[in-house]
Amino acid sequence: MITISVMIPTYRRPQDLARCLKALEQQTRKPQQVVVVVRDTDNDTWAFLKNYHPTVFKLEAATITVPGVVAAMNVGLDTTTGDIIAITDDDAAPHPDWLARMESHFLSDSRIGGVGGRDLVYVGNELIYQGVSEVVGKLQWYGRVIGNHHTGKGTAREVDVLKGVNMAYRRSAIAGLRFDERMLGTGAQVHFELAFSLRVRSRGWKLIYDPLINVDHYPAQRFDEDQRNNFNHLAWKNAVHNETLALLEYLPPLRIVVFMLWATLIGTRKAFGLLQLLRFLPKEKTLAWQKWLASMQGRTQAWQTWLSRQNYISSEKAHQAS
């Protein structure tokens, strides 16, 4: 039998964490290990964990001393021991068959490196997204990323990207991999899972999205510059940087050229190019200019980040050759 570890990064949300852990206790397929990664200064969460004693799985708390989900994820990777590492957020509650459905996919095909599913997004008790999406977790040839994990329907299928709140990886598929510490942000570090998913894909592994693998997701307060639906220049720039860097690392040279042209001239509603600026300018006015500026700064900074690494790799190769 394969073993399963569950990893949960958390910060200052003990009530949400309690709901998440209760949902894990109710799994039909029990995990062998649950690892909660906690900031050293998060006294409320430490107090909660001190008095929480599950009986159906081994609970371990791992300490992180720096901000950001990427560092927490990497500490979690170092602490987990399972053949499968399932990942969710502290503000999510996996359905009782969550791990059982994930495990069945991993057992069905040894080439499957990652499995994920749908997050049903709630505000209070109200499900806020009722739409249906056939295309989920796909990277289009010119670099546009389609998410839609929260509204996916249909049968299980192969995808390019899994979503951080509901994903699992085979340990052998991610051996030696780390979540990219170049991702910007002091908390959420948006698109960290995009970078990780594409790295697993680049190794030749399959990623499977199954809309029957569900978690209830109750987006909670963030304690950083990214406040979800409110525009913040730094948060917007960081998100665009992270998405751009992930794609620059994954795409071959010709597609990088196409992507950068598309990103500059067109873009998306979350990463403005010129066309998106013109589209939203009549309605958003100054805000549209701010989003475009943050987008261009994010793209430029990602290009610089990527080039710095490429130059380092080239210099190392030259040094080894000499």
Side-chain angles (χ1 to χ4, degrees):
M1 185 183 78
I2 63 174
T3 56
I4 299 179
S5 296
V6 179
M7 180 168 71
I8 310 166
T10 188
Y11 182 59
R12 294 176 61 186
R13 302 196 291 215
Q15 292 183 334
D16 294 293
L17 179 62
R19 180 182 54 218
C20 182
L21 291 173
K22 181 179 179 181
L24 293 178
E25 288 194 76
Q26 295 171 348
Q27 292 294 300
T28 57
R29 198 299 190 193
K30 309 299 184 187
Q32 279 70 34
Q33 176 196 39
V34 174
V35 174
V36 179
V37 186
V38 190
R39 190 88 61 84
D40 58 342
T41 57
D42 186 356
N43 296 326
D44 290 342
T45 300
W46 285 112
F48 161 73
L49 290 174
K50 183 179 180 180
N51 297 307
Y52 179 78
H53 305 289
T55 59
V56 298
F57 53 73
K58 178 182 179 183
L59 177 66
E60 296 184 40
T63 306
I64 185 69
T65 60
V66 296
V69 69
V70 167
M73 288 292 203
N74 285 330
V75 167
L77 286 182
D78 292 337
T79 309
T80 54
T81 59
D83 302 312
I84 303 300
I85 303 169
I87 302 169
T88 191
D89 292 348
D90 57 2
D91 59 1
H95 287 200
D97 59 355
W98 184 59
L99 290 177
R101 289 185 178 276
M102 283 182 165
E103 182 182 42
S104 67
H105 282 292
F106 283 113
L107 291 175
S108 71
D109 186 347
S110 62
R111 297 171 297 172
I112 292 176
V115 175
R118 186 176 182 183
D119 62 316
L120 303 167
V121 183
Y122 287 87
V123 173
N125 294 318
E126 181 182 356
L127 183 65
I128 61 174
Y129 295 110
Q130 302 289 347
V132 174
S133 303
E134 296 295 332
V135 181
V136 175
K138 299 301 289 184
L139 173 61
Q140 296 181 299
W141 68 272
Y142 55 88
R144 179 179 175 229
V145 180
I146 300 175
N148 294 336
H149 298 82
H150 58 298
T151 54
K153 288 288 187 179
T155 59
R157 63 269 203 183
E158 192 169 350
V159 297
D160 299 312
V161 183
L162 300 176
K163 189 172 183 178
V165 69
N166 187 359
M167 63 183 185
Y169 289 97
R170 191 187 300 272
R171 179 171 295 277
S172 57
I174 63 173
L177 288 185
R178 310 290 285 175
F179 289 93
D180 195 337
E181 295 180 354
R182 296 173 299 168
M183 297 285 109
L184 297 181
T186 60
Q189 295 178 283
V190 177
H191 299 304
F192 76 91
E193 67 266 69
L194 169 65
F196 197 76
S197 295
L198 293 179
R199 291 186 70 187
V200 177
R201 286 278 290 155
S202 68
R203 288 182 160 195
W205 293 91
K206 293 181 181 179
L207 301 181
I208 300 298
Y209 173 85
D210 184 347
L212 296 180
I213 299 175
N214 289 324
V215 303
D216 293 331
H217 191 189
Y218 304 88
Q221 180 183 1
R222 288 174 172 172
F223 298 94
D224 66 352
E225 65 278 354
D226 190 342
Q227 296 301 306
R228 300 187 190 275
N229 297 319
N230 296 323
F231 175 76
N232 176 282
H233 184 95
L234 179 59
W236 188 286
K237 179 176 71 70
N238 288 345
V240 175
H241 167 275
N242 295 346
E243 179 189 56
T244 305
L245 181 60
L247 295 173
L248 290 174
E249 289 286 359
Y250 179 75
L251 295 173
L254 181 58
R255 288 175 65 187
I256 286 178
V257 174
V258 174
F259 163 63
M260 292 304 286
L261 286 172
W262 168 82
T264 302
L265 297 177
I266 301 175
T268 68
R269 63 173 56 240
K270 293 293 186 179
F272 278 21
L274 181 59
L275 185 61
Q276 297 294 343
L277 169 63
L278 296 176
R279 174 189 175 192
F280 285 96
L281 190 58
K283 180 181 179 180
E284 296 188 346
K285 299 181 173 57
T286 302
L287 180 60
W289 282 107
Q290 293 174 341
K291 290 179 177 179
W292 175 80
L293 178 61
S295 299
M296 292 299 100
Q297 290 175 338
R299 300 286 193 200
T300 301
Q301 189 173 1
W303 182 258
Q304 293 169 343
T305 302
W306 181 74
L307 280 181
S308 177
R309 182 172 182 272
Q310 298 306 306
N311 291 335
Y312 173 78
I313 292 173
S314 297
S315 63
E316 284 294 300
K317 288 182 178 179
H319 178 72
Q320 292 173 2
S322 61

